[in-house]
Amino acid sequence: MKIYISDQIPKQIRTNLPKDNVTYLNSSSITKADLKEIQVAWGYDHHVQSLLDTPHHQLKWIQSFSAGIDYFPKQQLTDQKITLTNTSGVHSEAIANTVLLYTLYFMRDMNLALNMRRQKQWDGSRHYEELTLLSNKKWLIFGTGHIGQEIAREAKALGGYTTGVNHSGHAATNFDDTVADNAYSNIIQDADIIVNILPLTPETTHMFDHQFFNQLEHLYLFINVGRGPSVDTSALMQALDDGRVKHAALDVFEEEPLASDSPLWDYPQVLITPHNSAVSSEMLPGVQDVFVHNLQTFLKDGHPDTNIVDLTRGY
């Protein structure tokens, strides 16, 4: 059986893979003849798209490198009855740690420390109005899957109260409370911290728009570690300008990389990271474990069994 490993997959995790009756191909070794024989693709690049566009190919399953799969041609996969699996759960702890970093950055006024360093000038004044604690803060977390549950766990460990938003309002681990995605309006003004970790779907595109931000009066911190297009950037900037949102921490953006002339760079109350909240030294072994497990199941039963994506929902 032939398996294509895309350029998206780091070299560190291309070793120690099952070898029996398997031939692995990469971008430098793949040929046009291979396109009709490959049954499995790990990751996504232009070769995988060429494979999908090749008539009478044998591709049956793609293992995504990421948890989010909005960049895949979902309708094409559906039409061709190709199974897509993701790495949901692998990045949870790294993203949760990053969310806590964002929160502590503002609550402990790390802007002051960085400004002192740049200016090489000690500022010993006591900024009582800028320094606060994580305990007793109210978190409103949009998304209650693996990542949301880990964020909630870490927030609760530091004394926070966590409310999760999901499609039906069903209970979720580590959340003190949950509400449906059409029923959060009554509690949104009570939140201190709002976190978006939702996948990108037609329903979540520009979910955080002018109408959303206009419901706020004095939100302390808005965090986006989900998908950039979920947030209407102009609406967020307007909310920052109006004081409806005091701070924002953004790891993802409507267009990436963030352009050098984006007004967001000029907001001192906005913390920007380059779409790396999920990255950690522990991440790659976890990604490999998901692929190897699914591959072993595929070799045995003809299909993977872990992290199967519902292509109609987009996650």
Side-chain angles (χ1 to χ4, degrees):
M1 182 178 69
K2 291 184 177 180
I3 298 175
Y4 174 68
I5 301 179
S6 80
D7 290 340
Q8 192 182 34
I9 306 303
K11 293 180 180 179
Q12 300 96 305
I13 55 174
R14 298 187 184 199
T15 59
N16 301 318
L17 301 176
K19 294 181 175 60
D20 292 342
N21 301 314
V22 174
T23 299
Y24 295 101
L25 303 168
N26 56 48
S27 60
S28 62
S29 64
I30 192 172
T31 67
K32 288 186 178 181
D34 293 321
L35 293 178
K36 291 188 178 181
E37 299 179 10
I38 293 170
Q39 295 185 45
V40 175
W42 187 13
Y44 184 74
D45 60 16
H46 70 281
H47 288 297
V48 178
Q49 186 57 58
S50 295
L51 177 56
L52 293 171
D53 294 337
T54 299
H56 311 299
H57 65 72
Q58 299 299 311
L59 185 64
K60 297 181 175 64
W61 160 49
I62 301 175
Q63 171 66 58
S64 169
F65 177 65
S66 57
I69 52 85
D70 48 277
Y71 55 91
F72 280 88
K74 294 183 286 296
Q75 189 58 55
Q76 192 173 19
L77 298 181
T78 300
D79 294 342
Q80 297 183 18
K81 295 181 171 55
I82 295 172
T83 299
L84 178 63
T85 54
N86 66 10
T87 56
S88 178
V90 171
H91 314 87
S92 301
E93 189 172 355
I95 294 177
N97 284 183
T98 304
V99 166
L100 286 185
L101 168 67
Y102 295 153
T103 309
L104 288 167
Y105 177 90
F106 289 112
M107 290 189 171
R108 303 313 302 159
D109 196 15
M110 288 297 101
N111 264 334
L112 172 64
L114 294 177
N115 286 334
M116 283 197 307
R117 183 182 182 90
R118 282 191 292 267
Q119 297 171 11
K120 297 182 180 180
Q121 184 175 353
W122 178 271
D123 182 352
S125 57
R126 296 293 182 255
H127 298 264
Y128 292 103
E129 71 281 1
E130 295 297 331
L131 296 168
T132 185
L133 303 178
L134 271 174
S135 58
N136 300 316
K137 294 300 184 291
K138 295 180 180 179
W139 296 68
L140 186 61
I141 301 172
F142 285 77
T144 61
H146 295 292
I147 299 170
Q149 291 174 23
E150 181 60 21
I151 293 172
R153 186 188 71 80
E154 295 186 18
K156 283 172 62 66
L158 293 171
Y161 184 90
T162 58
T163 300
V165 181
N166 54 42
H167 187 62
S168 65
H170 60 269
T173 302
N174 297 329
F175 285 93
D176 295 301
D177 195 10
T178 52
V179 296
D181 56 14
N182 61 357
Y184 60 81
S185 295
N186 293 333
I187 61 172
I188 191 172
Q189 291 188 17
D190 294 330
D192 298 298
I193 303 160
I194 292 178
V195 184
N196 171 49
I197 52 168
L198 293 171
L200 186 64
T201 66
E203 291 74 28
T204 63
T205 299
H206 274 198
M207 176 176 176
F208 302 93
D209 57 9
H210 286 283
Q211 182 177 357
F212 176 88
F213 288 114
N214 284 343
Q215 298 175 78
L216 303 172
E217 293 182 359
H218 45 73
L219 179 72
Y220 184 81
L221 176 59
F222 178 81
I223 297 173
N224 189 14
V225 286
R227 283 293 184 257
S230 293
V231 177
D232 181 336
T233 304
S234 63
L236 173 59
M237 290 191 297
Q238 186 65 58
L240 290 163
D241 292 338
D242 293 344
R244 294 179 181 275
V245 175
K246 186 173 184 180
H247 306 100
L250 310 172
D251 188 52
V252 290
F253 304 88
E254 291 190 82
E255 293 185 9
E256 295 183 10
L258 185 65
S260 60
D261 60 354
S262 169
L264 285 172
W265 294 111
D266 298 322
Y267 282 81
Q269 70 272 45
V270 175
L271 182 59
I272 293 171
T273 53
H275 203 149
N276 68 353
S277 65
V279 176
S280 70
S281 59
E282 294 82 5
M283 165 189 159
L284 293 182
V287 170
Q288 185 187 56
D289 287 346
V290 173
F291 173 66
V292 170
H293 171 83
N294 272 334
L295 178 56
Q296 290 171 336
T297 304
F298 184 87
L299 292 171
K300 179 181 178 182
D301 300 328
H303 56 80
D305 67 354
T306 299
N307 288 2
I308 296 174
V309 172
D310 183 335
L311 292 169
T312 61
R313 292 186 175 184
Y315 55 92

